[in-house]
Amino acid sequence: MPYIPHTAKDIEKILKAVGAGSVEELISQLPAASRLKGPLAIPDGLSEQELLGHMKALSSKNSTVEEYSSFLGAGAYNHYIPSVVDAIISRSEFYTSYTPYQPELSQGTLQAIFEYQTLVCQLTGMDVANASLYDGATAVAEACLMAKRITNREGIVLANALHPEYRETVATYLTGTGDHLSTIDYSATTGATSLDAIESAISDKTACVVIQHPNFFGSLEDIEAIAGVVHKKKALLVVAVTEAVSFGLLKSLGDCGCDIAVGENQSFGNSLSYGGPYLGFMATKTEFIRQMPGRLIGQTVDKEGRRAFCLTFATREQHIRREKATSNICTNHGLCALAASVHMVSLGSGGLRKLAALNLSKAEYLKKKLKESGVEAAFTSPTFNEFTVKVKGSPDGVLKKLLEKKIIGGLNLEKYYPELGNHLLICATEMNSKEEMDALAAALK
Amino acid sequence: MESNGTKGLVLDEPLIFEKSSPGRVGIGPAHSDVPESDPKKTLGQKFLRDDIEGFPDLSEMDAVRHYTRLSQWNFGLDSGFYPLGSCTMKYNPKINEAASRLPGFAQLHPYQPEDLSQGALELMHSLEAYLSEITGLEAVTLQPSAGAHGELCGLLMMAAYFKAKGKPRTKIIIPDTAHGTNPASSHLAGFKVVPVKTEGKGALTVEMVKAVMDEDTAGLMLTNPNTIGLFEKNIKEIAEVVHSKGGLMYCDGANLNAIMGLVKLGDIGVDVVQLNLHKTFSTPHGGGGPGSGPVCVGKALEPYLPCPRIKKENGKFSLDFNRPKTIGRMKSFYGNFSIMVRAYSYIRRMGGVGLKRATEAAILNANYIKERLKGTYHLAFDEPCMHEAVFSDKFQESCGVSTMDIAKRLIDYGYHPPTVYFPLVVHGAIMIEPTETETIDTLDRFIDVMKTIAEEAKTNPQILKEAPTKTKIRRVDETRAAREPILRWKK
Ligand SMILES: Cc1ncc(COP(=O)(O)O)c(C=O)c1O
């Protein structure tokens, strides 16, 4: 049997030691009435060679974003992952260990995640960051719960230009503890959330306002101005970022007055993998640490005074506080955080800035090309590597035609925003060549 | 007793930020094939940032050395025996890693057309069917990211079920042996936790549940086998009590590896269970995730499963969003797909028979440890166990030695300690879960070491108090970490 090393002799020896005549006798502790009578209806086991063949065959029923030119973003971004990332996260000392409960045996994970927390603080301009959350959507949900605890208020105001699946996740998370949810619309001209709409959506019952930046349509939001409006009502501003490469260019959220920065770090080092696992991040101000969900790594010393790291502020967490914990999260996305760190570090500050600038250049080029084809950007706000266009004809029809040319042309927005019939969300990254973009523009003419 | 822990050259390594040299370039991005866009002009200065203060600049090789050295300060399952109770540190097959990295799985965008994703959807559909077969429950969602996330999902479905009946229920019963995530998830789902004290009995009795189950109570959240490693023998009768009051049985399935192929949860009255693919189904723990926490439910809860579900019609797979009663979504997209690939790969390699063999071998190994250590360490419950055995430091206390000291001493002998101080109901708990993938030779050596440590506790307790001494660092000052928090590097 694969992975089970017991020989007949081993089993005999164990049975003798435990005083049982047979394996069946040992498991007779299970009430007979509960026992499964027959075998599991699951196919017989495969040899490793057969299994790999089977997995290859199954995987080849999919088409990848390498075989097609893909212009999809919308919360999952196709970026180049340097070879060092897989080399490091494939080290089994990292990937086969558990959550670092025993610090003397886990300094590698602990220091790496402490560094990751620091990198997230540097990118966001916030004071502290946690070790990770599941993904961007759950990070936003956790931020809303956290804002409720901090402010003792109930109201959660979500920008309509926040990723629709994030909004749905927030709604699900809030059903248990009270869903005083409302949304603020975006401006049909700029594609950004308008200040007036925000102002009229907040009351003295609002715990937080959640804004995505760049938002779901790709439009940049005026975070500084929004922070002013939100803080006037003593509510908190939560800013969600789905495309973390934008950190390389865009003003840090801390500098813009954000209180809780959350989002998705998949863009760094984590493959698309049909939607997961990705990497939720959360960073905030020092004063809010005790209300933060998730694991935190802290620096300390060992008994001989050497620098050392360990899990800390555990009194916020479920294994100590049980139902009074700040969150139920236990296992997080540690290895994804390591992958993100390795990618960030291998880019360095200069590389990250260049990568972000390259993404901007690609998207601007594509925008220009599409315009030449008569496909106009739908909104006026500046954008980073993703933008919304209006196409001629039904978007599904347009996308289908593009598929024939091996192009995945973007996301049909109508499904999420009925008012945006004929609109596509299009993303260009460093993975999209000039030829690909030219081909897309030509096909849309 | 000779120690496995020996000397090796362990290199010091500063924080990555301390190795940085401004201007040094690691792996730059690709050359551009399009005209450069000037961010100042395109976006405007007000949107732009200054330099990223403190962000590290290293050569590629220095970055690789940095992380390689860090990895060498870690102890993984591949390094040695890792009997962490409740965590199921079974071997993580390498073929699963290879499979998950196949481009046809790794390079799929979640929003690419279903026609281009038939293999992924088929894999998920099959995995759902296997998990349904293993648990005896009709329907499965693969969306939740981990055990706790699955718990929340299952509990929200229960809440939705009662709400739809027009009679929302406010409470949930949880025994004191439960994992901390159970009450935390219940609270988040809006339930008030009604704790049940098992009073050192090991198993829950029908009376205990009868005393608290009423028609305001959504049901019982039970871990089976429980965290003491014992099968809840009265589960069928308990389920009857819960059901008779209109309630539902939630099972925390983190310990499914002890009953897979022997008992189907659906057959014994369970209505909803979350599974930890990163335990029972051999996917790696990654130093703290990512995992995957599918939820399996019976017919009554099926309409409430998160959206989307995977549908098969005329041999074609699709995502079904038309689910009016759904609780909504637990996260973006469809779940931790690359973890599902690994779990699927494990199930196909093992086959139905192999899965059952794994369960039996896990039980054999745990009982072997239990029997051979029970005179040396105090056994919390002296009865046949399932996949893990819970001891305590009761016999060693008089020597002034605690569970923590025993755990730290194990490190010097080259072992990862068991889970300690959990479950909370056992004072000074030492929870040992060997798993089925360990040889009896490994168990024998571990047992000998545990016995040696018990001797040392009597003759030389100081050696336990000082442990570990062979690791890169000695015991850390956790109090200081909390009192004088340093949560990030600063210049
Ligand atoms: C019994 C039990 N329940 C629930 C969990 C939570 O699972 P996760 O850490 O994947 O959220 C765990 C493990 O941590 C566990 O051991």
Side-chain angles (χ1 to χ4, degrees), chain A residues 98 330-331, chain B residues 86 146-148 151 179 181 223 227 252 254 276 278-279:
Chain A
Y98 203 77
C330 179
T331 291
Chain B
S86 206
E151 291 170 21
H179 194 260
T181 50
T223 308
T227 59
D252 177 342
N276 291 25
H278 45 301
K279 295 183 178 179

Side-chain angles (χ1 to χ4, degrees), chain A residues 62-99:
Chain A
N62 300 312
S63 299
T64 69
V65 295
E66 212 165 68
E67 293 156 351
Y68 278 66
S69 348
S70 167
F71 295 92
L72 280 170
Y77 298 91
N78 186 20
H79 289 292
Y80 178 74
I81 302 177
S83 304
V84 291
V85 173
D86 211 37
I88 297 300
I89 65 166
S90 296
R91 289 194 66 92
S92 71
E93 298 91 331
F94 281 131
Y95 85 83
T96 72
S97 54
Y98 203 77
T99 300

Side-chain angles (χ1 to χ4, degrees), chain A residues 357-398:
Chain A
L358 178 57
N359 273 259
L360 178 70
S361 298
K362 294 268 187 177
E364 288 301 315
Y365 176 79
L366 180 57
K367 228 191 235 177
K368 184 175 139 258
K369 277 281 155 193
L370 290 174
K371 194 172 172 185
E372 286 167 16
S373 291
V375 179
E376 295 269 355
F379 303 118
T380 58
S381 269
T383 58
F384 174 59
N385 66 356
E386 209 168 4
F387 54 91
T388 303
V389 295
K390 199 167 175 188
V391 290
K392 297 162 249 172
S394 107
D396 275 339
V398 169

Side-chain angles (χ1 to χ4, degrees), chain B residues 171-227:
Chain B
K171 297 182 289 182
I172 187 136
I173 304 167
I174 302 184
D176 54 5
T177 45
H179 194 260
T181 50
N182 290 189
S185 302
S186 298
H187 171 75
L188 193 48
F191 292 116
K192 195 176 158 299
V193 175
V194 180
V196 184
K197 281 211 167 78
T198 49
E199 318 261 6
K201 293 257 175 12
L204 204 60
T205 64
V206 177
E207 283 66 40
M208 290 174 190
V209 179
K210 242 187 198 152
V212 283
M213 182 66 207
D214 61 23
E215 279 166 13
D216 288 326
T217 305
L220 168 68
M221 191 173 196
L222 188 64
T223 308
N224 197 14
N226 65 25
T227 59

Side-chain angles (χ1 to χ4, degrees), chain A residues 136-175:
Chain A
T138 59
V140 171
E142 291 277 14
C144 294
L145 292 165
M146 177 176 161
K148 282 172 65 166
R149 291 192 295 272
I150 293 169
T151 59
N152 266 319
R153 296 176 177 186
E154 289 292 317
I156 305 289
V157 179
L158 305 178
N160 202 11
L162 171 65
H163 196 302
E165 296 197 3
Y166 288 27
R167 278 187 278 123
E168 283 178 48
T169 304
V170 171
T172 310
Y173 262 70
L174 290 180
T175 44

